Amino acid sequence: MAAIARPRRSVLYMPGSNARALEKGRSLPADGLILDLEDAVAPDAKDVARDQIVAALAEGGYGKREIQIRANGLNTPWGYADIVAAAKTSADAILLPKVESADTVRQVATIMEAQGAHADMRIWCMMETPLAMLDAREIAGAHPRLGGFVMGTSDLAKDLNCAHTPDRLPMMTSLGLCLLAARAYGLAILDGVHLDLSDDDGFAASCKQGREMGFDGKTLIHPKTIAAANTAFAPAESEIAWARKIIAAHEEAAQEGKGVVVVDGKLIENLHVVSAKRLVAMADQIAEMDAV
């Protein structure tokens, strides 16, 4: 049930009702796009947005960007049709809003499989209500198609009746519970959006905090924030150099038949080697993404 390892530094929401935005997404330097049918789309534009997203994905041109389609909830007039349509596309995942139970994930997986969703299509969950926080572990283990969590911190703050403070202290328990559940089940997890587009320093601080907490990347609401998120969530050159040093030392030790690897006085265990290889692979993928 482990998530596919790939860059997810910056993942931008794009309204499916905006054809120009769907076109622009093909050239933006974001690691991923969330093509939105839910919050960003008015009720009378839902059907048009769905058709536009399906057509845009059929046309292609999104390169290596990870594409998620955020559907409306199954309890809405549009949710079932969204899942059916999305399951037939080339999208990497379907993102479900306001998931509060493992049953919701399994229900959507059943629909996807009945509609012939490709084998690698994942289900991602918006974690944005108090009940979702309390049931994060059950949701994380719901189904093999599950790929990750997206924190919906704006709606969560409303339900918690808490303030949007710079340190996000009122939401630390919620963020931590979802991080624990995601990592326990090998899932990816993306941090929530920063709403104040005029607050560059606050955005940078939020990215730094999210990276330090362990998030894979940041969800975004405007293209101008992509570069800062990419910088914040990319591994540092020193980290990459250290990882390559560990890998080289491990390979040398293996060739010499040594069972113990020591680098700069530090004992290197197999887990360190696995992590180093993952980091180097991620760095190589990021370099490839940024070169496009």
Side-chain angles (χ1 to χ4, degrees):
M1 205 178 292
I4 298 171
R6 62 190 300 170
R8 295 183 172 100
R9 300 165 297 171
S10 55
V11 180
L12 178 67
Y13 287 99
M14 309 204 78
S17 54
N18 187 332
R20 288 184 60 191
L22 296 177
E23 173 62 30
K24 187 176 182 180
R26 295 184 169 95
S27 60
L28 293 172
D31 289 339
L33 303 173
I34 296 173
L35 309 184
D36 197 9
L37 291 169
E38 198 218 7
D39 281 351
V41 179
D44 60 358
K46 298 284 190 184
D47 293 339
V48 171
R50 186 190 307 122
D51 291 343
Q52 289 188 164
I53 287 175
V54 170
L57 293 180
E59 183 179 345
Y62 289 97
K64 294 184 179 295
R65 296 169 188 82
E66 185 172 30
I67 304 298
Q68 299 187 32
I69 299 175
R70 180 161 72 164
N72 289 280
L74 284 176
N75 60 342
T76 71
W78 315 281
Y80 179 79
D82 289 347
I83 301 300
V84 169
K88 298 175 181 178
T89 71
S90 61
D92 296 288
I94 298 175
L95 176 59
L96 309 179
K98 292 183 172 58
V99 176
E100 293 186 324
S101 72
D103 286 342
T104 298
V105 176
R106 289 190 283 264
Q107 186 177 0
V108 169
T110 299
I111 298 170
M112 290 169 63
E113 287 158 11
Q115 297 300 321
H118 66 79
D120 292 330
M121 183 178 281
R122 294 285 177 254
I123 296 171
W124 281 58
C125 298
M126 293 291 306
M127 304 295 282
E128 49 190 338
T129 69
L131 189 57
M133 304 303 108
L134 295 174
D135 288 343
R137 178 178 178 178
E138 287 72 19
I139 295 169
H143 195 274
R145 277 195 184 267
L146 204 64
F149 287 166
V150 176
M151 298 306 304
T153 46
S154 298
D155 283 353
L156 179 61
K158 293 175 185 176
D159 282 1
L160 293 177
N161 195 29
C162 72
H164 281 283
T165 61
D167 60 9
R168 298 198 292 178
L169 185 60
M171 282 187 280
M172 277 298 140
T173 297
S174 299
L175 297 174
L177 285 170
C178 289
L179 274 161
L180 285 169
R183 297 316 186 202
Y185 285 88
L187 305 180
I189 183 167
L190 299 174
D191 200 0
V193 301
H194 186 79
L195 294 174
D196 188 351
L197 293 174
S198 66
D199 180 19
D200 293 342
D201 290 342
F203 178 77
S206 179
C207 286
K208 181 176 184 292
Q209 182 193 58
R211 171 77 189 279
E212 290 173 347
M213 289 185 69
F215 285 100
D216 295 299
K218 188 80 168 169
T219 46
L220 312 173
I221 57 174
H222 196 283
K224 79 171 193 173
T225 58
I226 293 173
N230 282 348
T231 298
F233 284 93
E237 290 298 325
S238 58
E239 293 177 281
I240 299 170
W242 173 247
R244 294 190 189 280
K245 195 170 187 178
I246 288 175
I247 294 169
H250 179 263
E251 291 175 350
E252 182 180 347
Q255 291 174 1
E256 296 175 357
K258 296 179 180 179
V260 177
V261 181
V262 178
V263 179
D264 294 347
K266 296 180 180 180
L267 178 64
I268 303 301
E269 299 178 352
N270 286 337
L271 185 60
H272 297 138
V273 178
V274 171
S275 296
K277 289 182 177 179
R278 184 183 298 117
L279 189 147
V280 168
M282 184 68 69
D284 290 344
Q285 289 183 68
I286 287 172
E288 187 177 351
M289 292 281 293
D290 291 347
V292 175

